[in-house]
Amino acid sequence: MGRVDGRTVIVTGGARGMGAAFAGRLVAEGASVVITDVLAEEGEAVAAELGSSAAFLPHDVTDEAAWIEVVARAEALFGPVSGLVNNAGIVHVDPIERLAEADYRRVIDVNQVGVFLGMKSVAPSMRRAGGGSIVNISSIGGIISFGNILGYVASKWAVRGMTKAAAQEFGAWGIRVNSVHPGVVITEMTADSERSNAMFHDQPLARPGTPEELAALVLFLVSAESGYSTGSEFVADGGFTTH
């Protein structure tokens, strides 16, 4: 038996990188997964590779109506949703004095408002499922701070707090909410980043993480194996935040 047999899980930002790894691991362990992203061609390819237990839906996580449609389509395809991985995220690099308001707001809209809308939209379906697990992908930038990415840091700290607030509200319905805080993980977003490539050399595990390692953690949190964990931070950063 798989570790998440019979579960319907939505993974946002699932067209590549960590999101694609999350989707693949969840399907391998028995879940039916709805992959969403603005990258339609890549998302369709991931879903096709995963077979009949996966489907792709184009999705702007900043749009509440789009969220309502995604949840309805997921239910129609696979049944009530019992897992949500809020993974979609962006970063914008600029010092504060040069950071345009529009760029700041765009990061907040995707990384923070998107998580709020996801939790809000999926809650009724999870109640119909008899409970569920929400995994919000934050960052070590939601525990410590970095310069020149103010919007990213602000949004990821917000996700950490929103996770705890939602855990308090949703616990009565058997819905758990936890946050994951990756350090440097080599994906399409970070592969060419000088900052990311320099960060991990002085941490206790002097290497970057892999999407597959984060997928193992997400699988644990979606599964019943983490059944007594809610409102908590799960850090996977090679020890970076021990400094």
Side-chain angles (χ1 to χ4, degrees):
M1 291 181 62
R3 294 162 66 186
V4 285
D5 278 348
R7 295 178 184 262
T8 300
V9 184
I10 297 170
V11 178
T12 70
R16 61 183 184 179
M18 289 196 300
F22 301 159
R25 187 66 191 275
L26 288 163
V27 166
E29 291 290 346
S32 298
V33 177
V34 173
I35 299 161
T36 82
D37 210 304
V38 294
L39 302 173
E41 186 174 344
E42 293 164 81
E44 292 279 9
V46 172
E49 184 176 343
L50 294 178
S52 61
S53 292
F56 172 77
L57 297 176
H59 181 204
D60 175 357
V61 297
T62 70
D63 182 341
E64 185 167 11
W67 266 109
I68 293 169
E69 175 67 15
V70 161
V71 173
R73 292 280 303 279
E75 282 203 344
L77 285 166
F78 300 123
V81 178
S82 54
L84 169 64
V85 184
N86 274 316
N87 172 68
I90 60 173
V91 64
H92 180 88
V93 181
D94 253 331
I96 293 170
E97 290 183 287
R98 292 208 302 267
L99 179 59
E101 180 182 353
D103 291 327
Y104 175 82
R105 287 183 181 273
R106 177 61 180 161
V107 173
I108 296 299
D109 279 348
V110 174
N111 295 6
Q112 179 180 341
V113 177
V115 169
F116 154 64
L117 292 175
M119 294 192 295
K120 176 183 178 181
S121 301
V122 83
S125 189
M126 286 192 171
R127 288 200 296 272
R128 288 191 287 274
S133 175
I134 298 172
V135 182
N136 294 327
I137 307 301
S138 180
S139 166
I140 56 170
I143 293 176
I144 57 175
S145 187
F146 302 96
N148 298 316
I149 51 171
L150 179 71
Y152 184 84
V153 169
S155 67
K156 294 303 186 180
W157 276 77
V159 167
R160 181 184 175 194
M162 291 159 61
T163 295
K164 294 180 181 299
Q168 290 180 322
E169 289 192 37
F170 291 171
W173 301 321
I175 300 171
R176 300 181 296 106
V177 192
N178 292 289
S179 57
V180 170
H181 299 260
V184 178
V185 178
I186 296 302
T187 67
E188 292 88 342
M189 185 181 289
T190 62
D192 296 325
S193 167
E194 290 185 14
R195 177 193 295 233
S196 295
N197 292 336
M199 277 176 57
F200 60 81
H201 294 292
D202 293 327
Q203 66 192 29
L205 300 180
R207 63 170 180 83
T210 68
E212 291 72 24
E213 287 173 311
L214 269 295
L217 178 54
V218 166
L219 171 65
F220 168 72
L221 291 173
V222 172
S223 79
E225 295 165 15
S226 57
Y228 198 51
S229 296
T230 195
S232 295
E233 300 95 348
F234 289 80
V235 180
D237 69 347
F240 185 90
T241 52
T242 62
H243 288 298

